[in-house]
Amino acid sequence: MRVVIAGGHGKIALELERLIAARGGSATALVRNPDHFSDVWTAGAVPVHCDLEAADVAAVTEYLTGADAAVFAAGAGPGSGPDRKGSVDRDAAALFAAAAEQAGVRRFVQISSMGIDKADDPSVSPEFAVYLKAKGAAEEDLRARDLDWTILRPGALTDEQATGRVELAEKVTRGSIPRADVAAVVLALLDRPETVGKTLEVISGDAPV
């Protein structure tokens, strides 16, 4: 299986690339900063220079052509302003999905976020509300596309070691999860056609990935 990963130098993406390589697959990582290529190579993936905030659909389609699956794992990250949350978490996701359609790559997993339904809650900080709304808009865009999509909403992300055990369902209580376990779930979802068309939440739990 060849997988193209948007946000290919992110922490979840690097973990996913290691898992794909370990089982004999191949991954192409779209990376904004060429200085990060060495980390991607070390993870076992092939980096390509692609800034999704500046690229057009045709360029991204070329990278996706011939792939078996696409994973959107990009994000503007903490400390980014509202403009970048819109241009990355919303607009880049839509661009990547449109390119997958053009390339004929049907299997598509999008990493989103828990709490999207709480974006207008007064207890949510304005910065986080912008992030949740951007992720929510990206989800709505994906649902309308002719793709075999699955949306994964992780809980609070940590850098702890993988446990290999999660709680995965359409609705779970709020909690945290190591990024490495999120990557393992993404890889498992790619192998499970019965998850197509579903929006799933995931936190650490008792069920083996």
Side-chain angles (χ1 to χ4, degrees):
M1 176 184 284
R2 175 176 170 249
V3 183
V4 178
I5 304 170
H9 185 255
K11 292 181 179 180
I12 293 174
L14 289 169
E15 293 286 355
L16 177 59
E17 289 153 18
R18 294 182 189 101
L19 294 173
I20 291 171
R23 74 173 196 174
S26 65
T28 299
L30 307 189
V31 180
R32 184 171 60 91
N33 185 348
D35 291 341
H36 296 154
F37 276 18
S38 61
D39 293 335
V40 173
W41 283 116
T42 300
V46 177
V48 295
H49 183 212
C50 179
D51 182 352
L52 289 173
E53 292 179 272
D56 58 23
V57 172
V60 181
T61 298
E62 290 188 17
Y63 297 129
L64 282 155
T65 299
D68 300 296
V71 174
F72 185 80
S80 60
D83 289 345
R84 290 210 67 227
K85 287 178 172 60
S87 62
V88 178
D89 294 288
R90 181 192 63 220
D91 298 343
L95 173 70
F96 191 59
E101 282 185 312
Q102 291 289 325
V105 181
R106 294 203 57 83
R107 191 68 178 105
F108 194 102
V109 173
Q110 184 158 291
I111 301 174
S112 188
S113 174
M114 285 182 66
I116 284 173
D117 56 335
K118 304 292 186 184
D120 292 318
D121 192 307
S123 66
V124 175
S125 70
E127 179 183 353
F128 195 53
V130 170
Y131 167 78
L132 292 175
K133 288 178 180 179
K135 286 294 189 186
E139 287 188 6
E140 289 305 309
D141 175 87
L142 182 58
R143 291 189 185 101
R145 295 187 181 277
D146 183 22
L147 292 168
D148 295 335
W149 56 264
T150 304
I151 295 168
L152 183 65
R153 295 174 169 178
L157 298 170
T158 75
D159 291 325
E160 295 175 4
Q161 290 189 336
T163 67
R165 306 187 75 83
V166 300
E167 181 181 353
L168 177 71
E170 292 185 359
K171 196 69 178 176
V172 301
T173 57
R174 291 196 66 80
S176 62
I177 182 170
R179 289 176 171 86
D181 281 330
V182 175
V185 170
V186 170
L187 186 58
L189 291 174
L190 291 174
D191 295 333
R192 301 293 289 270
E194 65 269 28
T195 65
V196 168
K198 292 187 176 181
T199 300
L200 302 170
E201 298 182 346
V202 66
I203 57 173
S204 293
D206 297 324
V209 176

